[in-house]
Amino acid sequence: DKYVTEKYTYRQYVQTAKKMKGNKYALYLAKEYNPGEENDDSRPFYEVVGMIELGMVLQPMEIMQKTNDNTTIGDGETIGLRPRPTVGVLCVKPSHQNKGIGKALLMKCEEEVSGVWNETHMFIEVEPNNESARQFFKLCDYESCIDKDGNDMIHSAKVSRRRKIEERPHLVLSKRFSSKQD
């Protein structure tokens, strides 16, 4: 069921990517070469085993971040609406998980955001109950953003579940990139 949902999501994002006109959108795929079988005359092909979508999302920006030791960086000042580079979807085929594919896709987005888009932060929105995703992003040095009241920042996001669009809460995580002056 999860694989079918991921295939549907992939098709939806490919269609979205074709409609996008901005220059700050990326869809990266991880493919695996399959040589086919000699005895059944099947042709070689590449199978998509992972994907990540990256784009700019217009959100209120508050300068505050909770670190792993529960200290905060910034003063919580809202600086208005600002496009922020955000990972929309990261999925890896179950048979290919824990092989570094997700991390490689994420690193490719980080390179794009810091090196090409010249942004200092990248954001990820994760469903609060998706513990494996939260742990993965923590290992990749992403930290919870917190609101001015000291709570984890929550953003309501539209997701596709079983071909239905639903509104769901997501934790906002971020990673700050070192600037060339740091």
Side-chain angles (χ1 to χ4, degrees):
D1 187 41
K2 183 179 177 185
Y3 180 67
V4 172
T5 301
E6 288 173 352
K7 273 183 95 168
Y8 174 76
T9 301
Y10 166 74
R11 283 195 305 270
Q12 289 297 108
Y13 279 99
V14 168
Q15 289 172 355
T16 300
K18 289 177 182 175
K19 295 175 193 172
M20 296 293 288
K21 300 221 187 272
N23 59 355
K24 289 190 175 179
Y25 180 85
L27 181 69
Y28 294 107
L29 304 175
K31 295 180 177 182
E32 179 179 69
Y33 178 72
N34 185 324
E37 299 293 326
E38 287 184 29
N39 56 2
D40 68 1
D41 289 333
S42 63
R43 295 181 178 188
F45 63 94
Y46 286 92
E47 178 183 12
V48 174
V49 296
M51 64 161 278
I52 192 166
E53 183 229 14
L54 174 67
M56 297 298 275
V57 175
L58 193 61
Q59 292 293 322
M61 291 294 291
E62 293 179 355
I63 305 302
M64 187 177 267
Q65 185 176 29
K66 188 184 336 179
T67 63
N68 288 335
D69 62 358
N70 284 330
T71 59
T72 58
I73 301 170
D75 58 9
E77 175 189 356
T78 300
I79 59 172
L81 290 176
R82 181 182 187 280
R84 66 179 191 199
T86 303
V87 169
V89 166
L90 169 61
C91 58
V92 176
K93 190 174 176 183
S95 60
H96 289 70
Q97 291 178 357
N98 298 313
K99 296 181 179 180
I101 294 170
K103 187 171 184 176
L105 288 166
L106 187 61
M107 288 174 64
K108 183 66 178 169
C109 288
E110 291 173 358
E111 290 171 14
E112 179 85 14
V113 167
S114 65
V116 178
W117 297 1
N118 295 318
E119 297 283 344
T120 58
H121 289 77
M122 188 165 89
F123 296 85
I124 295 174
E125 296 175 357
V126 151
E127 290 187 32
N129 61 350
N130 190 342
E131 197 56 45
S132 63
R134 290 175 65 182
Q135 194 63 25
F136 169 76
F137 291 119
K138 184 177 180 179
L139 290 171
C140 294
D141 299 323
Y142 283 81
E143 298 172 338
S144 294
C145 293
I146 57 172
D147 63 21
K148 61 186 171 216
D149 299 322
N151 301 313
D152 287 335
M153 190 179 292
I154 302 287
H155 175 255
S156 186
K158 291 181 180 177
V159 295
S160 177
R161 295 271 190 235
R162 294 176 181 82
R163 300 182 189 231
K164 291 181 184 176
I165 303 295
E166 298 176 7
E167 194 86 17
R168 293 202 158 195
H170 283 68
L171 289 172
V172 180
L173 309 175
S174 72
K175 181 174 185 176
R176 183 179 188 282
F177 305 115
S178 299
S179 67
K180 292 179 174 93
Q181 291 116 359
D182 287 353

